[in-house]
Amino acid sequence: MIHSLDKPNNETSRLKRLQQLNVLDSAPEAMFNAIAKLASDICGVDIAAISLIDHERQWFKSVVGMDVIEEMDRDLSLCSQTILNDTVWEIEDIQNDTRFAHNPLVNQPPNIRFYAGAPLALYGDLNVGTLCLMGLKPHQLSDLHKKMLKGLAEIAAQALLVREAALNELDNESSKLAVIVQTSEDAILSKSLDDVVTTWNPAATKLFGYTEAEMVGESILLLIPKENLEEERFLLEQLKYNLNIQHYETQYMHKNGRLIDVALSLSGIKNAQGVVVEISEIIRDITLQKQMQKTLQLEHELLQVTMDSIGDAVLTTDQQGNVQYLNPVAEQLTGWTSKKAAGKPAARIFKIINEKTRKPYLDPVQMCLDKNSMISYVDEIILMSIDGNEYGIDASTSPIRDGDGNTIGVVMVFHDVSEPRKVSREIAYRASHDMLTGLANRSEFETALKRFVNNSREVDKMNSLMFIDLDRFKAVNDACGHSAGDLLLKEVAEIMQNCVRSSDLVARIGGD
């Protein structure tokens, strides 16, 4: 059963413009064959074609990689679906799509399994045909290959317009490909198998400093540093065996001897018998990209040294709260190495409890991610190390944001305050307690007294106050010495402490 496919909304205008191109049923042309071949080589598929969608048929202007066919019923055509889109349309496995089960290319040899097509758009929305790719097994294009396919489709569409306007001027393949080569921002050249340059575009002159007249007929080895000659020979051998090379990073040399970081895309140009006779090179200058990579690497190394050198502990996470990095101080305090902690939830590495209640705190990293703001802890925090040690710490957690303000992770900075906290407690204790007996001193007593009085007034609660003086204490000091007097005071203080509740206060407010 044949399914009639949808047609573009502007079908009438599209068909009228297609007829104006005067390309239907024309003879094969090297320019379109070259574009199809380039699409096949770049995307690494078996078959490529340029087709035009007429009223009732799909007509092929160019086919590479299989026996030439001229046309097929439009309702059977995959390309009829492609022209409904404004970008690349892809079917990874056609056997899963019943719409095209009757397509002769699918159910008969070569038994196509994979299809991807980009519309040939004139003036933006008149999709007169497609540049399509077909494979003999399921496949999927990368984003880069889709971008290249769409770009080549735009070139093919422009080629149709060029053909329409200047058909008599396009005498051979070189002139037909001139639009592509001459307007490219990348250097494009071709060379023979013995390294002699045969074509050279303006972008190549801009990149390497040699004019077309200087390079055509000369050896490509003028551009190759001596240390890279073996690499060049290796690449050539790969191309002879039909192994295309994409985005191969190396260095070429400017006319003035300066080295240039470049990315190469190389493919073989075949004769009618399918034998590689020349090499096509697309060369992109990536010097700035390499410089940026080096700068970022240097900044990363500097940051690493800084993180490893500072006295505070530093922990970073990704946007899911999983640990990415611990500096040496953080490793020491948590007991985890950065390598072992990487990828684990921060709550597993950074365990904190309340110093007084011993209850665990919520994960500060997750709180920071949830609130998208800084979280700080400055007192009463104990960090539980994996090796059983406990550290009093202060900690702050902040979002890490990219250049667009999006949160991409968290950085936590914390440091050990165990000793300062201990000293602070000791100072506070000495300021409020009698050092001989351990009881509250006069100052602490007066503060507590005010608190008890105010509490009694507010909640109508009764409190009691007892004042005790040790009779003849001076006689003990005089007869037995101050050591004995001190011992007596300590024993009396202990007796009194044991006679009251924990909520009561016993203080020493005078000498006896």
Side-chain angles (χ1 to χ4, degrees):
M1 178 179 180
I2 298 175
H3 299 276
S4 180
L5 300 180
D6 294 335
K7 295 182 178 180
N9 294 329
N10 57 1
E11 176 72 355
T12 301
S13 300
R14 189 191 68 79
L15 289 174
K16 181 178 179 181
R17 189 68 187 91
L18 175 59
Q19 293 298 322
Q20 291 173 352
L21 289 173
N22 197 28
V23 68
L24 293 172
D25 300 308
S26 63
E29 296 179 32
M31 182 176 189
F32 296 100
N33 290 339
I35 294 173
K37 180 66 170 61
L38 191 57
S40 173
D41 290 344
I42 287 176
C43 296
V45 297
D46 305 294
I47 303 165
I50 293 176
S51 70
L52 300 164
I53 309 302
D54 200 358
H55 185 264
E56 294 180 347
R57 63 173 176 160
Q58 174 185 9
W59 180 79
F60 291 90
K61 176 62 179 172
S62 175
V63 179
V64 297
M66 70 175 180
D67 294 337
V68 176
I69 58 175
E70 292 185 356
E71 62 183 57
M72 70 170 56
D73 192 302
R74 177 174 174 175
D75 285 337
L76 299 176
S77 165
L78 288 94
C79 293
S80 297
Q81 180 70 26
T82 300
I83 65 171
L84 301 177
N85 300 278
D86 58 4
T87 186
V88 174
W89 184 67
E90 180 180 37
I91 304 179
E92 297 178 14
D93 191 347
I94 302 174
Q95 287 189 357
N96 296 330
D97 195 323
T98 58
R99 292 175 298 175
F100 306 104
H102 296 280
N103 186 304
L105 297 179
V106 175
N107 59 29
Q108 301 174 22
N111 299 111
I112 301 299
R113 295 287 300 277
F114 164 77
Y115 172 88
L120 305 181
L122 303 184
Y123 309 120
D125 62 350
L126 297 177
N127 295 340
V128 296
T130 70
L131 171 59
C132 64
L133 301 171
M134 292 172 278
L136 305 183
K137 56 185 180 179
H139 186 59
Q140 183 177 19
L141 295 181
S142 68
D143 289 341
L144 177 60
H145 284 159
K146 288 181 181 179
K147 184 176 180 181
M148 288 184 170
L149 180 61
K150 190 173 188 301
L152 288 172
E154 292 172 358
I155 291 172
Q158 290 299 314
L160 288 172
L161 296 176
V162 171
R163 181 188 182 283
E164 179 189 38
L167 189 58
N168 293 329
E169 297 179 6
L170 302 178
D171 297 325
N172 53 56
E173 184 178 3
S174 298
S175 59
K176 294 170 186 176
L177 289 172
V179 174
I180 305 171
V181 175
Q182 297 299 315
T183 60
S184 173
E185 294 183 358
D186 294 329
I188 299 177
L189 60 91
S190 60
K191 63 183 181 181
S192 65
L193 297 183
D194 56 357
D195 291 321
V196 175
V197 175
T198 55
T199 64
W200 184 266
N201 76 337
T205 296
K206 182 178 179 181
L207 181 57
F208 298 114
Y210 292 101
T211 65
E212 182 180 10
E214 288 176 310
M215 283 304 299
V216 173
E218 292 292 335
S219 174
I220 190 70
L221 300 182
L222 283 174
L223 307 179
I224 311 299
K226 291 182 179 180
E227 58 271 22
N228 291 349
L229 289 178
E230 287 301 320
E231 176 184 74
E232 183 72 11
R233 297 300 179 201
F234 171 78
L235 295 177
L236 179 61
E237 289 300 317
Q238 302 303 302
L239 293 166
K240 287 181 180 179
Y241 291 103
N242 295 323
L243 298 175
N244 295 327
I245 297 167
Q246 302 299 323
H247 200 77
Y248 184 88
E249 295 187 5
T250 185
Q251 285 187 320
Y252 272 15
M253 191 162 53
H254 191 273
K255 184 178 181 180
N256 62 15
R258 173 174 55 87
L259 293 179
I260 305 171
D261 291 307
V262 296
L264 307 178
S265 293
L266 302 97
S267 58
I269 301 174
K270 300 176 183 178
N271 60 15
Q273 290 72 42
V275 178
V276 175
V277 294
E278 285 195 348
I279 306 298
S280 171
E281 289 194 27
I282 301 176
I283 308 170
R284 175 164 296 177
D285 183 3
I286 58 171
T287 302
L288 181 59
Q289 176 184 331
K290 286 293 186 180
Q291 289 175 347
M292 292 178 63
Q293 288 177 352
K294 290 179 181 178
T295 299
L296 288 174
Q297 180 64 27
L298 182 61
E299 291 179 353
H300 176 75
E301 291 174 357
L302 180 59
L303 178 62
Q304 187 76 38
V305 171
T306 302
M307 291 296 98
D308 290 349
S309 301
I310 63 176
D312 286 344
V314 178
L315 177 153
T316 63
T317 77
D318 58 20
Q319 58 187 358
Q320 281 75 45
N322 297 319
V323 173
Q324 289 185 317
Y325 167 75
L326 298 175
N327 76 341
V329 179
E331 289 181 327
Q332 178 185 351
L333 292 180
T334 63
W336 288 83
T337 65
S338 185
K339 184 177 181 180
K340 288 186 177 180
K344 294 180 174 61
R348 183 177 173 186
I349 310 303
F350 187 79
K351 295 183 177 180
I352 53 176
I353 62 172
N354 184 282
E355 185 175 19
K356 294 181 179 178
T357 66
R358 306 293 293 183
K359 293 182 179 179
Y361 280 104
L362 295 176
D363 177 16
V365 169
Q366 193 58 53
M367 291 176 63
C368 179
L369 289 170
D370 292 342
K371 296 182 177 181
N372 199 25
S373 62
M374 177 184 289
I375 303 294
S376 296
Y377 295 98
V378 295
D379 56 14
E380 297 186 345
I381 303 178
I382 294 294
L383 172 65
M384 308 292 290
S385 172
I386 193 174
D387 53 19
N389 293 324
E390 297 185 5
Y391 301 95
I393 63 166
D394 288 342
S396 64
T397 308
S398 301
I400 302 174
R401 297 185 174 92
D402 61 17
D404 297 324
N406 301 312
T407 298
I408 58 174
V410 166
V411 59
M412 176 185 292
V413 179
F414 54 101
H415 58 275
D416 184 5
V417 294
S418 301
E419 192 61 31
R421 195 176 287 178
K422 179 180 178 181
V423 172
S424 177
R425 288 197 204 96
E426 182 68 22
I427 293 173
Y429 182 85
R430 289 177 177 272
S432 61
H433 288 76
D434 173 54
M435 298 312 298
L436 175 64
T437 62
L439 302 178
N441 60 17
R442 176 185 290 273
S443 175
E444 179 68 12
F445 169 76
E446 291 176 350
T447 300
L449 183 60
K450 292 178 182 178
R451 183 171 66 251
F452 279 120
V453 170
N454 291 335
N455 183 259
S456 296
R457 291 170 175 168
E458 291 174 1
V459 299
D460 193 25
K461 183 178 179 181
M462 184 73 71
N463 290 290
S464 62
L465 173 66
M466 181 182 294
F467 179 82
I468 298 176
D469 185 25
L470 297 183
D471 289 339
R472 301 179 66 189
F473 178 66
K474 184 175 182 304
V476 175
N477 277 335
D478 291 344
C480 302
H482 288 283
S483 296
D486 290 346
L487 181 60
L488 176 61
L489 287 176
K490 290 163 65 174
E491 290 180 351
V492 169
E494 183 177 356
I495 292 171
M496 295 179 68
Q497 283 279 55
N498 292 333
C499 291
V500 300
R501 299 165 299 182
S502 59
S503 59
D504 295 334
L505 176 68
V506 180
R508 181 186 180 194
I509 61 173
D512 52 2

